[in-house]
Amino acid sequence: MKIIVCIKQVPDAKDVRLDPVTNTMAREGVQSIMNPYDQHAVEEAVRLKEQLGGEVTVLSMGPPQAEEVLREAISCGADHGVLVSDRAFAGADTWATSYTLAKAVKKIGDFDLILCGKQAIDGDTAQVGPGLAIQLGIPFVTCIQKVREASAKELVMERMMDDGYDVLAVEYPALITVVKDLNEPRVPSLKGKMKAKKAEIQVFSAEGVGADPAKIGLAGSPTQVVDVFPPPPRGERAILTGSIDEQIEQLVVKLAVYL
Amino acid sequence: MLIVDKELCIGCGICEDNCAFGAIDVVDGCAVVGDTCTLCGACVDSCEVDALKIEGGEKSVQVDLAAWSGVWVYCEFRGGVLAPVSLELLGVGRKLADARGVKLSAVLIGADTGATAEKLIAYGADIVYRADDQAFTYFTDETYGAVLTDLISQHKPEVVLAGATAIGRSFIPGVANALGAGLTADCTQLDIREEDGALLQTRPAFGGNIMATIVCPSSRPQMSTVRPKVMKELEEDTSRSGAIVEVNLEPAMLESKVRVLESVISEHDDVNIQESDILVGGGRGLDSEKGFELIRELAMHLNGAVSASRAVVDSGWIGYPHQVGQTGKTVAPKLYIACGISGAIQHVAGMQSSETIVAINRDENAPIFDVADFGIVGDLFEILPKLISKIEGHRKS
Ligand SMILES: Cc1cc2nc3c(=O)[nH]c(=O)nc-3n(C[C@H](O)[C@H](O)[C@H](O)COP(=O)(O)OP(=O)(O)OC[C@H]3O[C@@H](n4cnc5c(N)ncnc54)[C@H](O)[C@@H]3O)c2cc1C
Ligand SMILES: Nc1ncnc2c1ncn2[C@@H]1O[C@H](COP(=O)(O)O)[C@@H](O)[C@H]1O
């Protein structure tokens, strides 16, 4: 089995917030982490490898420091890390990102399965996985919550729906995106950490993957951010006072419109 | 590229504070841009001396914008039921279409859709493209995607909207990618820009900590998925007239490499928390799985659904479909009652757009009180039973 997992380095949400007083972005000590959904994708890939044999390549597009998440994935059992990094990618939206990742996947070569997280928590778009599958011309299934059966030929899985779940089967090559119910990511072993430290991360440039300059970065992105602003302030906040009974009394009055 | 005009920059650091990606540092009295810059433009807007600008963003894809006209809504239909968000989208779609002076069309894909097309017309559609076939009994990205992609290529609408549901957020990205169209996920506001008629798509980013407005300046169609519950449906008007067009289905469109073996509808009918007007959320403060009985009881009295924090989902007290937050669902009900939830940023990210937030927590310093409109500091095991009986009393009176 040749498996590729797309992982993204994202700012840790708990560090990103608007200062309510100054309305500016509080960025003190913004930590970068592996996108949480992608951790589950890496875990599943490693489990499939352990069951069926083969190798797992983790792929990320991002600035040079995104190498950190690739090493993290290797410490958890992935075999190879590939970073696509180029200043020319800056400003890529999900279209340009999936185009670039598709180019990188083609450069990596043969694969049976690609895993992505359901969405990246910085943009919450959930668009790169399906976009990548379309660019590669392979089928995709999103929001996998369980792998029921895996063989060298196909996967039988549960996909999370709004009102329950669907059970599906798909043959390779295919792309799936995963949610956090799928598995419990392992903690890296000492041996894994050593391996990750020594691992060689391949770095591809835009030219290296043969990307059309008109299709990457800001220029290749159909969408454009024209405004960024703080969310409208919430209404008046009140901690109710008085005895518990009095507070409940007040609350029911306040909520009357909803009752 | 983000360009810093060294002459104009005064090194005030406002841009540094406004950068969500930690990509700007002030060095020797001048802003310096690092590798993590995503060209989001937040700093450009914040700069008081106009020292920053983004260059080289000329779009390489250029389509003949005038060839694309009309507003379309993908109307989700599954298991014999029309997703409520479809009608909400017809509501906002009608406004956009009227502002642009164009027609509003609905796309209906499903099996045994019955009188649904007529209903879509009564709720605002001028045209309904109906693809009704047994092949659509189950949703698959390939079949639904093939039909919608083909229709869009043929008819060239300028705007395409879909619900930000499990189905919409799955296959619409594939459609947009195949068309080379821009797609904005999870919009909460849509407007038409007066100068040029472009669609202004506004969405929360970073778990709702900032809002971003996005346009597609040179590609068409302009596509958005829109959160359920934020747009308003129109009053039903059965006297409205419209055309129903049967979609010509090529055999290839009905084939999928993904085989659906079974579709399991959850036995709890309250599981679709994104569609509920009222949510009662439970956290670790409930102490045990049994604690959810109180939450369910309150939800039942309010005609609402039950949601949960990740901590209790991870403990197995309730299923993952109920989880609200960054790694769960994003919800925006009219009323959210958080019980025994501390209000960690990852939870708040998923519910802070709720209209009214009530928090019940015994720790007065719990961060949930920072987003709550009304808070009660106290033991939920004392408060909830009393609240339930008060609500019952209120109902009766
Ligand atoms: C990458 C990542 C993603 C995450 N994604 C999510 C997500 O999607 N959703 C999510 O919810 N969390 C998420 N989390 C977890 C989040 O950080 C918190 O750990 C979690 O939300 C805490 O859940 P809780 O509030 O139920 O539990 P706790 O933080 O333990 O809070 C329990 C609260 O109950 C109160 N309490 C206890 N007993 C009582 C009582 N008898 N009466 C009244 N109050 C009482 C306590 O004062 C406390 O405030 C994520 C974390 C990470 C790192
Ligand atoms: N820059 C990137 N590099 C590698 N994988 C990515 C990148 N951006 C997105 N992905 C993958 O696509 C998924 C969905 O991301 P998004 O569409 O941005 O929400 C993520 O969970 C990753 O698996």
Side-chain angles (χ1 to χ4, degrees):
Chain A
M1 271 286 268
K2 285 212 159 98
I3 307 176
I4 297 174
V5 189
C6 296
I7 63 179
K8 187 175 186 187
Q9 190 178 42
V10 295
D12 194 347
K14 64 177 185 295
D15 301 323
V16 181
R17 80 200 110 82
L18 280 178
D19 183 321
V21 182
T22 60
N23 250 339
T24 55
M25 195 71 69
R27 49 146 275 190
E28 219 150 286
V30 178
Q31 296 280 319
S32 291
I33 55 168
M34 190 194 304
N35 180 38
Y37 287 98
D38 302 354
Q39 293 174 356
H40 297 276
V42 170
E43 175 64 28
E44 201 59 31
V46 172
R47 286 186 193 187
L48 288 170
K49 173 185 83 168
E50 286 164 353
Q51 187 196 334
L52 301 165
E55 34 184 53
V56 175
T57 302
V58 280
L59 166 64
S60 188
M61 172 185 126
Q65 60 265 40
E67 192 189 305
E68 293 160 16
V69 291
L70 293 170
R71 289 195 193 278
E72 187 184 334
I74 292 172
S75 75
C76 294
D79 301 288
H80 312 288
V82 175
L83 176 66
V84 229
S85 190
D86 202 311
R87 283 301 272 266
F89 296 142
D93 73 355
T94 58
W95 194 93
T97 301
S98 49
Y99 168 80
T100 307
L101 289 175
K103 284 286 180 189
V105 166
K106 284 180 192 152
K107 169 110 184 176
I108 291 170
D110 277 352
F111 66 88
D112 298 296
L113 183 66
I114 299 180
L115 290 104
C116 288
K118 175 198 167 203
Q119 62 192 44
I121 60 166
D122 52 355
D124 286 336
T125 76
Q127 290 171 187
V128 168
L132 174 57
I134 294 287
Q135 294 277 331
L136 294 169
I138 58 172
F140 66 92
V141 192
T142 59
C143 297
I144 296 304
Q145 62 176 22
K146 189 172 180 177
V147 172
R148 284 194 176 178
E149 281 168 48
S151 71
K153 199 171 129 245
E154 68 168 16
L155 288 176
V156 179
M157 306 166 288
E158 288 177 15
R159 121 182 301 181
M160 189 175 160
M161 299 293 275
D162 287 329
D163 54 2
Y165 62 90
D166 283 359
V167 185
L168 325 142
V170 64
E171 285 180 23
Y172 313 126
L175 181 147
I176 64 173
T177 79
V178 308
V179 296
K180 77 162 242 283
D181 231 18
L182 183 63
N183 56 39
E184 196 55 57
R186 70 194 66 188
V187 188
S189 63
L190 199 61
K191 209 173 125 215
K193 280 188 183 159
M194 297 289 288
K195 192 177 133 205
K197 223 182 203 163
K198 281 188 261 157
E200 195 195 322
I201 304 292
Q202 276 192 75
V203 182
F204 295 155
S205 65
E207 214 187 331
V209 295
D212 176 349
K215 292 185 173 167
I216 59 173
L218 197 58
S221 299
T223 62
Q224 186 179 330
V225 178
V226 288
D227 195 13
V228 180
F229 55 96
R234 296 195 59 80
E236 212 180 308
R237 282 165 207 174
I239 298 274
L240 302 172
T241 52
S243 70
I244 291 287
D245 289 296
E246 284 162 1
Q247 292 186 40
I248 292 172
E249 190 81 54
Q250 294 168 45
L251 183 63
V252 172
V253 172
K254 302 271 189 207
L255 299 185
V257 284
Y258 303 114
L259 304 178
Chain B
M1 280 268 279
L2 176 61
I3 313 282
V4 183
D5 187 325
K6 295 203 173 73
E7 303 283 295
L8 294 177
C9 179
I10 53 170
C12 67
I14 292 179
C15 53
E16 186 177 335
D17 292 339
N18 273 278
C19 179
F21 301 91
I24 304 183
D25 284 307
V26 174
V27 181
D28 296 335
C30 185
V32 176
V33 187
D35 284 325
T36 50
C37 173
T38 67
L39 301 180
C40 76
C43 56
V44 178
D45 289 343
S46 76
C47 181
E48 288 173 358
V49 293
D50 293 329
L52 297 166
K53 65 173 185 281
I54 289 174
E55 267 183 6
E58 286 77 35
K59 299 291 169 205
S60 46
V61 197
Q62 294 282 351
V63 302
D64 174 13
L65 303 186
W68 298 72
S69 161
V71 173
W72 279 28
V73 171
Y74 165 69
C75 293
E76 181 176 325
F77 183 89
R78 176 174 149 90
V81 185
L82 180 70
V85 67
S86 308
L87 301 182
E88 297 160 22
L89 293 184
L90 287 175
V92 64
R94 187 71 261 166
K95 278 199 205 109
L96 299 174
D98 291 344
R100 293 284 296 140
V102 296
K103 288 209 162 105
L104 174 65
S105 304
V107 178
L108 175 64
I109 305 174
D112 304 318
T113 59
T116 309
E118 287 78 3
K119 182 169 176 179
L120 300 177
I121 292 170
Y123 278 91
D126 299 313
I127 302 171
V128 180
Y129 294 98
R130 177 163 64 190
D132 189 321
D133 193 287
Q134 291 310 311
F136 303 125
T137 306
Y138 294 125
F139 165 76
T140 81
D141 294 275
E142 274 167 293
T143 52
Y144 280 51
V147 173
L148 189 57
T149 306
D150 187 67
L151 278 173
I152 292 173
S153 321
Q154 264 183 55
H155 298 277
K156 298 193 166 25
E158 60 196 277
V159 169
V160 178
L161 310 178
T165 59
I167 287 180
R169 292 195 67 182
S170 186
F171 90 105
I172 298 294
V175 172
N177 200 282
L179 294 163
L183 170 61
T184 306
D186 231 7
C187 295
T188 54
Q189 199 186 323
L190 297 169
D191 302 287
I192 296 292
R193 183 160 68 187
E194 261 178 41
E195 307 99 84
D196 59 356
L199 182 67
L200 293 168
Q201 312 167 82
T202 299
R203 69 180 302 255
F206 286 106
N209 290 329
I210 53 175
M211 305 294 291
T213 301
I214 290 163
V215 297
C216 306
S218 58
S219 63
R220 289 293 179 271
Q222 310 161 87
M223 298 180 68
S224 326
T225 59
V226 181
R227 271 196 198 162
K229 291 280 157 203
V230 293
M231 302 299 173
K232 298 277 165 287
E233 63 191 49
L234 303 172
E235 293 271 331
E236 183 172 23
D237 176 0
T238 46
S239 69
R240 288 194 84 248
S241 61
I244 297 175
V245 180
E246 303 296 341
V247 177
N248 186 20
L249 298 168
E250 311 279 345
M253 292 179 186
L254 307 180
E255 277 166 27
S256 172
K257 294 192 199 77
V258 177
R259 307 189 309 280
V260 183
L261 308 177
E262 189 188 356
S263 194
V264 180
I265 309 288
S266 168
E267 67 255 52
H268 293 295
D269 54 352
D270 60 1
V271 84
N272 192 358
I273 58 175
Q274 282 167 313
E275 291 284 3
S276 185
D277 279 336
I278 295 181
L279 283 178
V280 185
R284 195 140 50 191
L286 292 171
D287 271 348
S288 71
E289 191 172 348
K290 216 170 157 289
F292 265 103
E293 285 170 18
L294 263 178
I295 299 290
R296 288 213 173 82
E297 199 182 329
L298 177 58
M300 199 185 69
H301 277 86
L302 291 167
N303 231 336
V306 173
S307 65
S309 71
R310 172 171 180 168
V312 299
V313 170
D314 286 352
S315 306
W317 299 354
I318 192 166
Y320 177 56
H322 295 269
Q323 182 184 320
V324 163
Q326 196 173 65
T327 46
K329 287 180 178 161
T330 303
V331 296
K334 294 205 166 72
L335 176 62
Y336 191 97
I337 306 184
C339 308
I341 293 178
S342 59
I345 178 84
Q346 295 93 348
H347 186 80
V348 168
M351 48 67 84
Q352 64 183 349
S353 323
S354 306
E355 194 175 284
T356 299
I357 297 173
V358 175
I360 300 171
N361 195 305
R362 67 177 172 200
D363 172 10
E364 61 180 318
N365 295 317
I368 191 74
F369 289 120
D370 296 339
V371 293
D373 299 281
F374 307 109
I376 300 185
V377 179
D379 187 347
L380 65 90
F381 294 102
E382 180 194 347
I383 296 167
L384 289 183
K386 287 181 172 170
L387 181 60
I388 291 167
S389 69
K390 267 273 171 327
I391 288 171
E392 233 176 333
H394 178 93
R395 276 264 164 77
K396 288 199 184 111
S397 66

